[in-house]
Amino acid sequence: MAQDDPAAFDAMLAELAERRQEFREQRYVPGDFVDRLKRLGLYRCATPERFGGETMPPAEFLKKIERISAVDGSTGWVASFGSQLVYLGSLPLETQAKLYAGGPDVVFAGALFPIQRATPTERGFLVNGRWKFASGCMAADIVCVGIPGDDLTSGKPRGALIRPQRLEIVQDWDVVGMRGTGSFDLIAEDVEVDREWTFIRGGEPVVDEPLYRYPAITYVAQSLSVVSAGVARAALDFAEGAGSGRDSITGAPKLADRAYYRAGIAEAEAALRSARAYFYEAADEAWETLVAGDLVSDEQNAHLRLSAAHLARTASEVVHKVVSLSGTAAIYQDHPLPALLGDALVPQEHAFLSPAMYDAAGAVLMGLPPTVPAFR
């Protein structure tokens, strides 16, 4: 296991730089590269320690995802799902033991919405329907689809865990950003799922470990948000390197010789670093609280959600600013910035990172209930 091997991580990034266009063209990160991410420990860092997991503090995991995303946002997005095993902490321990029976490196993918019909059976549910946005499903060991809740779930939808071989994957992902995430549709036809293989997203965990006391939905929101920080970092690194590049075809000064370019890139640099600092400050504070034996407060959770939404929005604005300052070179398809622009657009559009998070966080900080569901 190379979880703490910087050389192995750097070697992975070097291979990713060579293959990212391949992933974008085929529209998913293939199994052989996901296996490489497994060997780096990214898919066991949220597995319960009782089942062989090697807990990684959230900020440490998020920084790894950020570095991957600076090379390729799509791969960072798929790797970020290593955090999502915390969702499964509410499964019965017997079910978790079966899930991790082959080892702690389990790749989870989800397509919870739209909620589709499920007919109760003696053992569980007969599932039918089509779900969207199953990022990473092509290399997943287990996937989740959304089915209706009932009295036992207080009306919240259930996630039903199914081996991907029992589903049809429809490769319909045709988008301008995060093209390599493989966020395909899933189709189930009369697939029976035992009740003990269903869970409530954000439900009370039965695993008593610090990471499983970290707010699960919040951690997933952070994991998706930090992808945008990596993408923005790539855009700024390119802009700062390209500033002293070729002369303008019109004879105008090089970009670095233009005051508006220097000032604009510096302003973008400050904006990204400020949002990033708030993001990691909130993550570190929450983790320290848990390690000390206390629970993350509602106010701390509000800062986690607010900093995640703010980072995603700021990162997108940074990339847009870089493009707007870069002249006509950036309008060509073979230029690096258009792909980064598309990638930066996607995280802020996720429901977990939408503008509604500002209102919800503000409400909590003022002593009111959150204004959106699934805030914690």
Side-chain angles (χ1 to χ4, degrees), residues 63-247:
K63 287 175 182 176
K64 290 181 183 294
I65 299 305
E66 183 181 10
R67 288 188 64 199
I68 295 170
S69 302
V71 179
D72 180 49
S74 292
T75 303
W77 189 270
V78 171
S80 79
F81 277 54
S83 70
Q84 296 204 12
L85 291 177
V86 294
Y87 275 157
L88 309 185
S90 60
L91 287 170
L93 286 176
E94 297 80 4
T95 304
Q96 293 190 50
K98 294 175 183 177
L99 178 65
Y100 300 114
D105 302 297
V106 172
V107 180
F108 171 70
L112 194 65
F113 296 104
I115 301 300
Q116 300 288 359
R117 62 190 176 92
T119 305
T121 67
E122 184 176 343
R123 290 169 34 200
F125 305 93
L126 192 65
V127 177
N128 286 275
R130 180 167 180 158
W131 297 263
K132 302 196 71 66
F133 303 126
S135 301
C137 62
M138 295 295 287
D141 299 306
I142 195 82
V143 298
C144 160
V145 297
I147 61 175
D150 51 32
D151 292 342
L152 296 177
T153 70
S154 300
K156 296 178 181 178
R158 292 180 184 271
L161 295 180
I162 304 174
R163 296 294 178 182
Q165 296 82 1
R166 302 177 67 195
L167 300 169
E168 178 187 353
I169 297 176
V170 182
Q171 297 189 26
D172 60 345
W173 187 239
D174 187 12
V175 290
V176 298
M178 297 292 175
R179 288 184 58 82
T181 59
S183 302
F184 301 134
D185 286 11
L186 302 177
I187 295 178
E189 293 185 4
D190 291 334
V191 176
E192 188 167 17
V193 180
D194 291 350
R195 183 176 296 273
E196 59 266 27
W197 284 89
T198 68
F199 67 97
I200 305 171
R201 187 179 65 174
E204 192 68 27
V206 297
V207 175
D208 186 20
E209 297 176 11
L211 188 61
Y212 280 77
R213 294 193 291 272
Y214 198 94
I217 293 175
T218 296
Y219 191 21
V220 173
Q222 290 177 292
S223 300
L224 300 176
S225 173
V226 81
V227 173
S228 64
V231 173
R233 180 73 267 156
L236 282 171
D237 286 349
F238 175 83
E240 290 161 13
S244 57
R246 63 178 177 81
D247 294 330

Side-chain angles (χ1 to χ4, degrees), residues 26 37 65 142 154 172 203 254 265 302 307 323 357 369-370 375:
Q26 71 184 15
L37 298 175
I65 299 305
I142 195 82
S154 300
D172 60 345
K254 295 176 183 177
I265 296 303
S307 63
V323 172
M357 296 305 117
F375 190 67

Side-chain angles (χ1 to χ4, degrees), residues 1-10 40 64:
M1 183 56 55
Q3 191 179 82
D4 299 315
D5 186 345
F9 198 88
D10 289 345
L40 292 170
K64 290 181 183 294

